[in-house]
Structures are given as C-alpha cells and as structure tokens.
Amino acid sequence: MNYDKIDKKARKILQENDRGLYTVPTKGLYPYQWNWDSAFAAWGFSTHDPRRAWAEIETLFTGQWDNGMVPHIVFHKQAIGYFPGPDIWNVERVPHTSGITQPPIAATMARAVYEADKHYGRVHMELMYGRLVSWHRWFVKYRLHEGMVVITHPWESGRDNAVDWDAALANVDGSNVGEYHRRDIDHVDPAMRPKKEDYDRYLALVQFNRDCGYDEDHIRDHGPFRVADVGMTFLFLRACRDLLHIAVELDHGVDEIEGWIKTLKQGVERHWNPERGHYDSVDVRTGAFTNSLSSASFLCWFAGIKDDRMLAHYDRIVGQVDFGIPSNDPEDPHFSHLRYWRGPVWGMVNALIGIGLAETGHTVHAERLRKQTQKLIAEHGFWEYFSPLDGAPAGGPQFTWTAAIWLTWASPHAKGRF
C-alpha cells in the first residue's frame, strides 16, 4: 500500500473543499461551513499548514451569536437549492447562520492546532480564547440539565437520525411543515439518508425554534424535543478539559472552568443506564433512558473517564464488525448498516474513540481501532461513512473530515494522538 500517495490524496481533498477561509464538508451535498466539520478540518490542516488551520477556526467564529452560541451552519455564500437554507432559518445577522448549535469540539481542536505549532499559534490562541469561553458559558447557561448536555434538535448532536432520538421525536408533529425539496437525496441514495417522516419532524422543530425567536428559555419550557445527549456530554467535558489546559497555558483564571468540569462529571454518572449496563442518552421530558447503545456511548474515554465498564460492550461489538465502532449496536433491531447514523461507521468517531482509548491506557484496543480505520480508508476511499460489515462506502465522497483524521490519526505517518 502506497501510504505516501494516500497522504497526498488527503491533502488534496482538503484543498479541493477549501473555499478560501473555510472548507465545505464535500462538494454539492454540503455547500456551506459546518461547525464540527470545520473543527476537524482545522486539525487536518494543522499537519501541514497552521496558518490555514487557524483561519478555519476563526472563520467559523464569525458566525458566533452575541449570546455566545456558535451555530451549526454558517452561510457565507449563497448556494442555490440547498434546503433548509438561510431563508428558512431567518436569523437576523451577517453572516447568515442556522439557529442551532453542534458538538462543541472547537476548543479541543484549537488546542490540537496550537500544540502543532505553538510559536505561530500563540497569538491566535490568545484571540480565540475568549470566544471559546463564551460558547462554553452558553452551554452551561442554557443546555445543562443535572450536569448533562441537552439538545433541542437532533441535528445539534451531529448524529441526526440516531436511534437515541426515536421516542422523543415521536412526540413531534411533522404533519404541517409544508412542501419542500431535499437536496441531500439528489446527491446520495435515499436509503442512506434519514427518512421523510424524520425530516418532517426536523423541520417542525426548526419552525418552532424560529417562530419563538430562538428564545432558549421558551424552548426549554415548551419545546417538544429535549434530550440529554450522551455524546454531547462527553464531547463537552473533553472540550472543557482542553479549555482548562489552554487557560493554564495562557495564564488565565481556571476556577470557572474547573466548576464546569465538576458539574459535567456528575452528569456523566446520570448517563449510566444500570439496567442496560452502558452510557445512554436521557429524554429530559420523560426522564427515561433512550436505551440506545451508539458509538457516542464509547466517547467516555475521550472525555477522560477512566472506566472499564464499557469494555465488554466494546469487545462484543468490534467482534461482530471489521471496521471499528458502528453508529448503532449491530444487535439493535433498528440497526441498518448503510443508513446514516443507524449503523454505519464514521472515521472521525473512530478517531475520537481511539484517542480516548490510548489516553486512558487501553493501548491495544486503541491501536487495533486505528489499524482498522487505516485499512478502511486505504481500501475504500475518503467517504463520509461506511458499512461496518464490508466497508462499502456511503454518503458523500471526498469528505473533509475523513481526510483530516487520516492525516492526523489513521495514516502510518500520523502521530495518532493529540
């Protein structure tokens, strides 16, 4: 296998998806700047172009709201036909943005970019620090429930149609959203994407949030969907720990961030489903566990939770598939190996899980996962996601975050860690 050639291809994908100061996830399917996609892109750029890496993060934060929230999409340039576009979100600001957020991994990736070149990155880290703190404060103020991070729309999780949301979404009325055309199924086989009934409910939630002026207090009290997402809690805990490291590095105060970490660690225990024996999401409206064992449940190690309780599930699942951790337990009756977040494996989730395993001492597990992901991408290409059963590529091709995690973690030439 010519890994030098694959490294070159990964860098070329970042270049092809580069729009000057930000990247798109892939051409056609996703024509704007997505929040956590850009954080991964910055990490990828940091392997060979720190200047471009910082531009990615700084451009993402041009979309930050006055209340600190960083939206999940920033609409820098018009892309005809994309749905739902800025006209649907109707956010009164420039650049136009969506009205919801996404997994808060920017602090984690900013730290990684900084560590790659501290000399160049120092001034950029100083300039970004306050913006990162503001976003974290927004989460603490509006999105913590008993120490768990709450989402008000499935898209905020980054795992749009995960099984975690099924019960809560059943209470969302999507019958009156009107006619619309989805651009995603013009580019990708509809069998690989969320179903129409899912999308109707997604749009109903967009309309609810928009019609109340994105009032977080109103959404908290009256919104039809409110789920404590185990993946968001783990990723936010990790991000707060990385922000703490940055604060120490820059000689800023740490008491506030340490308080957040303490609260989130308490929240982690509330995500433990004792009957099922795994970390789980919680429907805040009912208090019930979602009874979903997804790839997000294995982000515990990335969050710094030095806990062996998930290893039995991990070993069981990787014993059934060939390419890492699928987005849904293969034994779940809703498992679908090619439908978005209901079964496929995602390279960037493998990377986060693998890094967490290595950092918490599970080095054999970590290296096996890295090798599996290396083989998957080397043999099947830089796709959005893949079948965990046979590696069949799915979703969008030439995908930014798959190229990024190849350069930073999966390639034999990568450091394989932060």
Side-chain angles (χ1 to χ4, degrees), residues 72-136:
H72 93 298
I73 306 175
V74 184
F75 301 107
H76 293 289
K77 296 179 181 179
Q78 186 176 17
I80 301 299
Y82 179 80
F83 185 86
D87 55 322
I88 301 298
W89 293 97
N90 194 30
V91 173
E92 298 287 336
R93 69 176 316 282
V94 177
H96 295 299
T97 72
S98 65
I100 58 176
T101 194
Q102 239 183 357
I105 65 168
T108 295
M109 295 309 178
R111 177 187 173 186
V113 172
Y114 174 64
E115 296 285 351
D117 187 337
K118 287 189 175 183
H119 177 73
Y120 178 80
R122 178 76 184 203
V123 65
H124 293 276
M125 194 72 261
E126 289 274 14
L127 291 170
M128 283 303 305
Y129 178 77
R131 288 182 171 273
L132 291 166
V133 171
S134 293
W135 190 22
H136 285 219

Side-chain angles (χ1 to χ4, degrees), residues 312-379:
H313 282 297
Y314 182 94
D315 290 338
R316 172 180 61 81
I317 289 174
V318 298
Q320 298 177 54
V321 298
D322 293 327
F323 298 105
I325 294 295
S327 47
N328 188 24
D329 187 342
E331 296 181 10
D332 188 292
H334 302 290
F335 176 81
S336 177
H337 75 117
L338 285 177
R339 189 180 288 279
Y340 217 38
W341 289 94
R342 300 183 79 86
V345 64
W346 298 69
M348 87 295 183
V349 178
N350 274 359
L352 299 184
I353 294 171
I355 290 167
L357 284 166
E359 291 177 344
T360 53
H362 305 296
T363 54
V364 174
H365 288 81
E367 185 59 15
R368 179 185 177 189
L369 182 56
R370 192 177 74 85
K371 289 288 190 181
Q372 287 177 323
T373 312
Q374 182 182 108
K375 184 175 186 288
L376 176 64
I377 297 172
E379 294 184 356

Side-chain angles (χ1 to χ4, degrees), residues 206-227:
V206 169
Q207 293 169 359
F208 175 88
N209 291 2
R210 178 195 64 199
D211 293 347
C212 75
Y214 302 105
D215 182 329
E216 287 288 339
D217 292 331
H218 182 84
I219 294 168
R220 179 196 62 221
D221 295 338
H222 304 289
F225 181 93
R226 194 167 180 82
V227 179

